[in-house]
């Protein structure tokens, strides 16, 4: 609003009383008829608004409420699904841990069995080796003993031949012959 | 050679020797020659070699025995060798000696000794063997160095072994 408007307007809006003075209305309250008419007009407008725009607004609000409710329901379902999935994952995780524990336990049992089996087999092989070694040592000892005895016998035989033939002089021959004759003659 | 043929030769030789009246000497000489013949491979090979003519083999016999044995013995051995029966000579002689012993009711006693026995020892040994067996024996002594010492007497199936060789063998087996 221009400055001139600011000056003229209050003069134009003022009333002239019986003294010709410009009398202006309350700066706060409007004129009574304005209040009446304005009130009526407002009522009409509200009534019209209620009549014509109210259902649309209510419908719109109801749709919005339904949409929000749907979104809330979807969120709740998603949350439930997520919770169920989380439960499944946790269960699966628990199963995996159990399976891992079972496999580890089974592996431990198998390892223990293999270890025990290997220990028994090793012990048996050691016993067999020891038995064979003892037998071989005994056989070697026997062979060595036999060879030694054979060598002693061979040397003894050679020594006997050498000593006996070397000691058989004529007198010994005659003595042996006489001994034989005497012995045979005595066996009557 | 079959036993019959050996018997035939032995009987023939025995009859010839007996007819000659030299049976004791002949059987003794034949016995000694047979033992030497058995123990000498070279002699046996020479007298049984078919590649050598019979006359030459007989000449070998005459060379070996000439002057050491009676002529009857030489002729009998020569005859056997000449007829190609050299391999059977020991068996023929053994049969002849058996026959001679039987004809005198004697048991053949073969004695092996490392050294020769004196006549006195032979007589005492024959008496001892007769005493031991209860039979009169026809003693035949064979000098066999393999005996080493002592004597081994075989009378029929009985063997009286007093040889050093046997004692050494027993000692060796114990060793």
């Amino acid at each position: 609003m221009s400055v001139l408007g600011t000056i003229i307007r209050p003069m134009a809006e003022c009333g002239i009383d019986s003294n010709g003075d410009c009398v202006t209305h309350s700066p706060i309250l409007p004129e009574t008829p304005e209040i009446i008419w304005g009130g009526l007009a407002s009522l009409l407008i509200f009534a019209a608004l209620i009549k014509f725009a109210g259902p649309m607004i209510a419908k719109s609000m109801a749709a919005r409420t339904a949409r929000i409710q749907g979104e809330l329901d979807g969120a709740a379902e998603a949350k439930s699904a997520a919770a169920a999935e989380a439960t499944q994952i946790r269960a699966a995780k628990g199963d995996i841990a159990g399976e891992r524990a079972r496999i580890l336990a089974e592996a431990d049992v198998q390892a223990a069995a293999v270890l025990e089996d290997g220990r028994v087999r090793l012990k048996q092989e050691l016993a067999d080796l020891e038995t064979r070694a003892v037998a071989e040592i005994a056989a070697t000892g026997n062979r060595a003993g036999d060879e030694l005895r054979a060598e002693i016998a061979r040397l003894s035989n050679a020594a006997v031949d050498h000593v006996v033939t070397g000691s058989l002089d004529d007198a010994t021959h005659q003595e042996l012959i006489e001994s034989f004759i005497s012995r045979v003659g005595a066996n009557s | 050679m079959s036993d019959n043929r050996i018997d035939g030769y032995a009987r023939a030789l025995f009859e010839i020797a007996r007819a000659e009246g030299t049976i004791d000497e002949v059987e003794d000489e034949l016995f000694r020659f047979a033992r030497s013949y058995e123990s000498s491979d070279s002699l046996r090979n020479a007298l049984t070699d078919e590649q050598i003519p019979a006359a030459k083999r007989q000449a070998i016999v005459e060379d070996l025995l000439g002057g050491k044995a009676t002529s009857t013995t030489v002729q009998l051995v020569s005859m056997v060798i000449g007829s190609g029966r050299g391999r059977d000579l020991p068996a023929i002689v053994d049969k002849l000696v058996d026959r001679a012993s039987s004809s005198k009711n004697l048991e053949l006693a073969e004695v092996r000794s490392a050294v020769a026995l004196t006549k006195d020892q032979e007589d005492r040994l024959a008496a001892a063997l007769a005493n031991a067996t209860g039979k009169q024996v026809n003693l035949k002594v064979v000098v066999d160095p393999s005996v080493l010492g002592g004597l081994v007497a075989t009378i029929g199936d009985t063997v009286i072994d007093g040889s050093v060789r046997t004692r050494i063998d027993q000692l060796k087996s114990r060793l």
Side-chain angles (χ1 to χ4, degrees):
Chain A
M1 187 179 292
S2 63
V3 177
L4 185 61
T6 304
I7 296 167
I8 294 170
R9 188 176 174 193
M11 290 173 67
E13 288 178 355
C14 66
I16 303 301
D17 60 12
S18 54
N19 302 343
D21 297 329
C22 180
V23 179
T24 61
H25 59 78
S26 172
I28 297 173
L29 293 174
E31 297 296 326
T32 300
E34 188 177 350
I35 290 173
I36 293 170
W37 287 109
L40 288 173
S42 294
L43 287 174
L44 285 173
I45 289 168
F46 277 120
L49 279 173
I50 289 169
K51 182 170 177 63
F52 297 105
M56 290 177 64
I57 291 168
K59 187 178 177 183
S60 170
M61 290 303 287
R64 183 169 174 272
T65 301
R67 184 173 54 81
I68 290 169
Q69 187 61 47
E71 287 177 359
L72 286 173
D73 292 344
E77 285 178 7
K79 184 182 175 186
S80 298
E85 195 169 347
T87 304
Q88 282 180 352
I89 289 169
R90 274 193 290 274
K93 187 181 173 187
D95 289 346
I96 287 169
E99 184 71 9
R100 177 172 168 269
R102 189 185 63 75
I103 289 171
L104 284 176
E106 197 172 316
D108 283 345
V109 170
Q110 287 181 354
V114 168
L115 192 64
E116 183 60 26
D117 185 50
R119 194 174 289 134
V120 169
R121 204 167 51 239
L122 191 64
K123 195 180 288 183
Q124 183 62 43
E125 285 178 6
L126 279 174
D128 290 347
L129 278 175
E130 190 177 349
T131 304
R132 278 203 298 272
V134 168
E136 199 165 330
I137 287 169
T140 304
N142 289 338
R143 271 201 305 276
D146 290 345
E147 288 172 5
L148 187 62
R149 277 192 289 275
E151 185 64 14
I152 289 171
R154 190 185 65 76
L155 292 173
S156 301
N157 290 343
V160 165
D161 278 341
H162 183 71
V163 169
V164 171
T165 53
S167 64
L168 283 174
D169 55 10
D170 191 53
T172 309
H173 280 300
Q174 295 305 318
E175 188 180 334
L176 288 167
I177 291 168
E178 292 300 332
S179 170
F180 182 86
I181 293 170
S182 299
R183 188 160 50 84
V184 171
N187 290 334
S188 58
Chain B
M1 185 190 275
S2 67
D3 286 347
N4 287 339
R5 189 162 292 180
I6 289 172
D7 274 339
Y9 271 89
R11 190 168 60 247
L13 297 185
F14 173 75
E15 294 301 336
I16 291 169
R18 191 164 65 172
E20 292 282 338
T22 56
I23 184 65
D24 290 343
E25 293 88 346
V26 168
E27 67 149 322
D28 194 56
E29 289 166 357
L30 284 175
F31 184 82
R32 292 176 194 280
F33 180 77
R35 299 292 81 82
S36 300
Y37 182 82
E38 278 179 327
S39 61
S40 173
D41 290 339
S42 57
L43 177 62
R44 198 166 56 251
N45 290 337
L47 296 184
T48 56
D49 189 350
E50 299 292 336
Q51 305 299 319
I52 300 174
K56 193 166 184 179
R57 280 182 275 147
Q58 288 173 320
I60 293 171
V61 171
E62 288 166 8
D63 284 345
L64 281 172
L65 296 178
K68 299 174 187 172
T70 61
S71 60
T72 307
T73 299
V74 176
Q75 286 170 3
L76 291 177
V77 173
S78 181
M79 183 192 76
V80 172
I81 296 298
S83 62
R85 306 298 178 190
R87 284 188 176 79
D88 300 314
L89 182 63
I92 292 169
V93 171
D94 287 345
K95 288 282 185 184
L96 181 149
V97 173
D98 277 343
R99 182 175 286 273
S101 299
S102 298
S103 70
K104 291 181 281 189
N105 291 321
L106 298 176
E107 186 79 12
L108 176 63
E110 182 183 319
V111 174
R112 291 182 176 272
S113 172
V115 295
L117 270 60
T118 64
K119 183 74 173 77
D120 175 56
Q121 285 174 329
E122 287 187 5
D123 290 343
R124 284 189 289 118
L125 179 58
L129 290 172
N131 199 26
T133 60
K135 300 171 185 173
Q136 292 301 309
V137 297
N138 180 12
L139 189 69
K140 299 294 178 190
V141 178
V142 179
V143 175
D144 184 356
S146 69
V147 172
L148 292 181
L151 300 172
V152 181
T154 305
I155 308 111
D157 294 332
T158 304
V159 177
I160 303 171
D161 194 337
S163 68
V164 172
R165 166 52 59 199
T166 300
R167 292 181 191 176
I168 287 178
D169 288 344
Q170 289 171 347
L171 179 60
K172 284 180 177 177
S173 67
R174 277 205 294 273
L175 287 173

